[in-house]
Amino acid sequence: MSRNKLLAGNWKMHKTRAEASEFFRSFTKLVGNMADVTRSVEVAFGVPATLFDVCVNAAGAGVKILAQNVHYEKQGAFTGELSTVMLQDAGLQGSIIGHSERRQYFAETDQAVGKKWNALSLSSLLPVVCVGETKAEREAGETNIVVKKQFELALAEVSADAKAKDFVIAYEPVWAIGTGLTATPEQAEEVHLMIRGLLTTHFGAARAETVRILYGGSMSAANCAELLKKPNIDGGLVGGASLKPEDFSKMVLTAKG
Ligand code: PEP
């Protein structure tokens, strides 16, 4: 089964509107024929809400613009939050959810991640569901236990209708995010294979083969080729390197092959 690779940038809390416009001016030039590229590799950017319209208008043919978080209710008294209805209204295609920074700094739980997954899927928006262990958990030999628990507790909140929709898992070892440390292709593949097994258990073998599992954690233009060669690494969730058009365009073209 061949899965289209997906390279998703995560801009976190970076860039003004002028900087975002400038990024896409360079990025689209460097990538070349965007429509041709995005036919074989999906390209997405998780961006701050102030940049939604700029990015939707400037990103180029086939490029998906995502939020970095979403609320699971459609509307209501939730000051500071955005709903799936609002993301759709802004022209977005999905959202990153459960990023380790949101788990760490904003107390996001596996249950909340699952409710967000459910809400996104029911709105036909793409959930990019992040999982990953800390350094202490890896050193204690608990990587698989932690990732399985994060995945299964979230999945428990997802309805049958929502489960039928497309979703993406991003395996992001916390110790590799923004640190310059990258999991080796072998370390990443081992966890991706375990996740593929979980997908098989919960969705059946045929469906499991269709789900993209991204690697995230200091992925760069220098190391992405080796990571992307692994059979279960279907792309990347890229923080730092996605802020630079030169680096991210190289990664997109590497993923295209
Ligand atoms: C991320 O924020 O999801 C990430 C992987 O960051 P970085 O690539 O900078 O490690």
Side-chain angles (χ1 to χ4, degrees):
M1 159 85 217
S2 81
R3 294 172 289 270
N4 255 7
K5 294 259 190 288
L6 166 59
L7 271 198
N10 175 14
W11 280 3
K12 311 193 185 196
M13 198 170 71
H14 291 290
K15 293 198 189 293
T16 62
R17 293 162 66 82
E19 286 165 349
S21 297
E22 184 47 41
F23 174 94
F24 282 113
R25 250 195 302 280
S26 307
F27 179 71
T28 45
K29 222 180 272 167
L30 289 162
V31 169
N33 187 335
M34 191 69 78
D36 180 47
V37 170
T38 54
R39 262 193 292 278
S40 47
V41 45
E42 253 179 73
V43 179
F45 292 88
V47 304
T50 49
L51 307 180
F52 286 170
D53 64 329
V54 172
C55 294
V56 165
N57 291 325
V63 175
K64 291 184 162 67
I65 301 300
L66 312 174
Q68 300 172 1
N69 184 34
V70 66
H71 198 278
Y72 45 81
E73 295 291 348
K74 285 205 183 313
Q75 60 177 28
F78 301 101
T79 302
E81 295 290 312
L82 297 176
S83 71
T84 56
V85 176
M86 292 166 177
L87 302 194
Q88 276 175 321
D89 192 39
L92 267 60
Q93 277 89 19
S95 182
I96 298 167
I97 51 174
H99 192 281
S100 66
E101 288 152 17
R102 295 216 52 89
R103 293 175 186 263
Q104 186 183 346
Y105 302 128
F106 303 98
E108 193 156 311
T109 63
D110 295 313
Q111 285 77 11
V113 174
K115 287 182 182 179
K116 292 172 186 199
W117 175 351
N118 189 59
L120 286 164
S121 289
L122 292 179
S123 302
S124 296
L125 289 163
L126 182 70
V128 178
V129 186
C130 302
V131 293
E133 83 288 1
T134 62
K135 185 164 180 275
E137 288 162 344
R138 174 160 282 263
E139 286 172 354
E142 290 169 359
T143 298
N144 287 359
I145 297 167
V146 168
V147 170
K148 179 173 190 285
K149 187 166 159 265
Q150 289 172 332
F151 174 77
E152 290 185 337
L153 286 178
L155 187 64
E157 305 294 328
V158 183
S159 65
D161 284 352
K163 278 182 190 161
K165 304 285 183 71
D166 193 19
F167 64 92
V168 170
I169 302 291
Y171 167 58
E172 299 210 300
V174 179
W175 49 271
I177 297 177
T179 58
L181 297 173
T182 314
T184 64
E186 291 69 31
Q187 282 175 321
E189 173 66 14
E190 195 182 333
V191 181
H192 283 225
L193 198 56
M194 187 278 295
I195 296 171
R196 188 79 61 207
L198 289 176
L199 292 168
T200 304
T201 303
H202 292 278
F203 291 86
R207 175 81 194 284
E209 284 301 307
T210 68
V211 176
R212 266 90 53 90
I213 308 172
L214 312 184
Y215 167 77
S218 301
M219 200 188 232
S220 67
N223 64 27
C224 71
E226 290 308 309
L227 285 158
L228 295 173
K229 267 186 208 151
K230 292 292 180 191
N232 287 288
I233 301 184
D234 306 313
L237 183 54
V238 183
S242 74
L243 294 168
K244 300 178 203 126
E246 300 77 17
D247 290 358
F248 200 59
S249 59
K250 270 190 208 145
M251 297 171 78
V252 167
L253 294 174
T254 302
K256 182 172 180 277

